[in-house]
Amino acid sequence: CDDGLDPSEPVDETKLRAVTDYIPLSRYELIPTDFTITDYSKPEFYQITTSQKLTDLQESSYVNLKVHHSRVARFDGLWLPWRLRSQNSGWGQSVVGSIYYALKKYWTAQDGLVEMVQDADVFCHKIPGLFQRIASGNESDLKKRLEANALSRSVYGGLAIDTEEEVEYLNRSLSGIKDALDPFLKEISMALGWPSSILTGDSPGGMGKEGRFEERQWAHIIEDWQANYMLKPVTQVFDLILKSKEGPTRGLPPENWSVFFPSVFVETDKEKAELRLQMAQVDSQYV
């Protein structure tokens, strides 16, 4: 904020010329210094420690740069009880952290399926009297025989075997492999709270086969997130913009204004027409 003051001082709205820049910092770079249990979201000061280049004149990393809370738009993360929040330097829970274990199990299951597919076919070469040869100490002959196998397969893509030997592939059954990851995807969906169709991009086959129910649920999740986690800091940013002398209102914000998030759910033309018809019928009854 260009108000001629040091970052450790509160923003002086009477001297605020412009909001010149926004610097995104993670919770590891922006540390509250004096948060309390009664108002953890508004400490008096923050300490910035980062290797990011914040200004053109910066030559090294910033360490313990003191910033007043009025210059920080705080996107806090998921709610945490006080004990865990104090262990997390006063910040909320990362969304990734809430699904980490479910995601880790999904990755492990996916890696396991890759190994199964790679070992789906097992090459089997039946050699008469194999174990007797090994027991009698003829491992060198067996090694030469296997090396001959590898050589023949690499030279002309086949095997030269005796009439008493047999060659075949043992196939592992992979009949249910396409559904093997479903429980793990469902667990991620439950941890996130997202509809499975949104998470995977698959067309739903349950309630509302066109996916309208899932789209409404998804829109509700996004709008709830906007209202609870984004409205306050976004309003703070626009408030400073409107109060700045070089802003769109030249420092004279309107008396009544608010941040409005457009609806995420998009109605189809058919749904809009049906809604207008219902409204027309109600208006007709009122008349």
Side-chain angles (χ1 to χ4, degrees), residues 66-86:
K66 194 174 182 180
V67 177
H68 193 264
H69 72 84
S70 61
R71 302 176 186 272
V72 175
R74 174 175 175 140
F75 295 85
D76 191 50
L78 301 177
W79 182 87
L80 276 180
W82 173 250
R83 182 178 63 84
L84 296 178
R85 182 176 289 274
S86 61

Side-chain angles (χ1 to χ4, degrees), residues 216-233:
R216 286 187 176 90
Q217 186 180 4
W218 174 242
H220 173 72
I221 292 172
I222 294 178
E223 290 168 359
D224 180 71
W225 180 271
Q226 290 172 336
N228 290 298
Y229 293 97
M230 297 185 65
L231 182 61
K232 186 176 179 180

Side-chain angles (χ1 to χ4, degrees), residues 37-238:
I37 191 172
T38 54
D39 195 0
Y40 58 81
S41 65
K42 267 198 174 181
E44 187 68 18
F45 298 100
Y46 291 88
Q47 295 283 355
I48 294 180
T49 297
T50 179
S51 60
Q52 296 189 51
K53 191 172 182 179
L54 305 185
T55 66
D56 295 335
L57 301 177
Q58 180 183 352
E59 296 181 356
S60 60
S61 61
Y62 274 115
V63 178
N64 293 332
L65 175 67
K66 194 174 182 180
V67 177
H68 193 264
H69 72 84
S70 61
R71 302 176 186 272
V72 175
R74 174 175 175 140
F75 295 85
D76 191 50
L78 301 177
W79 182 87
L80 276 180
W82 173 250
R83 182 178 63 84
L84 296 178
R85 182 176 289 274
S86 61
Q87 295 175 1
N88 206 34
S89 302
W91 291 100
Q93 170 68 54
S94 166
V95 177
V96 177
S98 66
I99 66 166
Y100 175 74
Y101 291 107
L103 197 60
K104 186 176 180 181
K105 285 191 283 186
Y106 173 76
W107 287 337
T108 302
Q110 200 171 39
D111 291 340
L113 289 180
V114 171
E115 294 292 334
M116 288 180 60
V117 172
Q118 290 176 347
D119 297 335
D121 293 330
V122 179
F123 177 68
C124 180
H125 185 184
K126 297 180 181 180
I127 302 176
L130 175 62
F131 290 103
Q132 287 82 356
R133 296 185 186 182
I134 296 175
S136 61
N138 293 327
E139 292 90 346
S140 59
D141 294 340
L142 178 61
K143 183 179 178 180
K144 292 179 181 179
R145 182 69 185 88
L146 297 180
E147 289 175 350
N149 279 355
L151 180 61
S152 61
R153 293 185 67 182
S154 63
V155 172
Y156 60 90
L159 284 177
I161 61 174
D162 203 316
T163 55
E164 297 178 356
E165 297 178 344
E166 295 181 18
V167 174
E168 64 178 341
Y169 280 93
L170 301 180
N171 297 319
R172 177 183 292 173
S173 176
L174 301 176
S175 57
I177 195 170
K178 70 181 184 67
D179 301 322
L181 291 177
D182 288 351
F184 301 98
L185 285 171
K186 187 174 182 180
E187 185 175 359
I188 296 177
S189 176
M190 293 169 62
L192 278 172
W194 296 4
S196 297
S197 59
I198 300 294
L199 179 64
T200 61
D202 295 333
S203 298
M207 291 183 289
K209 292 185 178 180
E210 294 180 355
R212 302 303 285 170
F213 171 80
E214 288 79 3
E215 288 181 20
R216 286 187 176 90
Q217 186 180 4
W218 174 242
H220 173 72
I221 292 172
I222 294 178
E223 290 168 359
D224 180 71
W225 180 271
Q226 290 172 336
N228 290 298
Y229 293 97
M230 297 185 65
L231 182 61
K232 186 176 179 180
V234 170
T235 300
Q236 178 185 351
V237 171
F238 277 109

Side-chain angles (χ1 to χ4, degrees), residues 8-19:
S8 61
E9 300 182 57
V11 174
D12 190 342
E13 297 176 355
T14 61
K15 300 178 180 179
L16 181 61
R17 289 186 289 272
V19 177

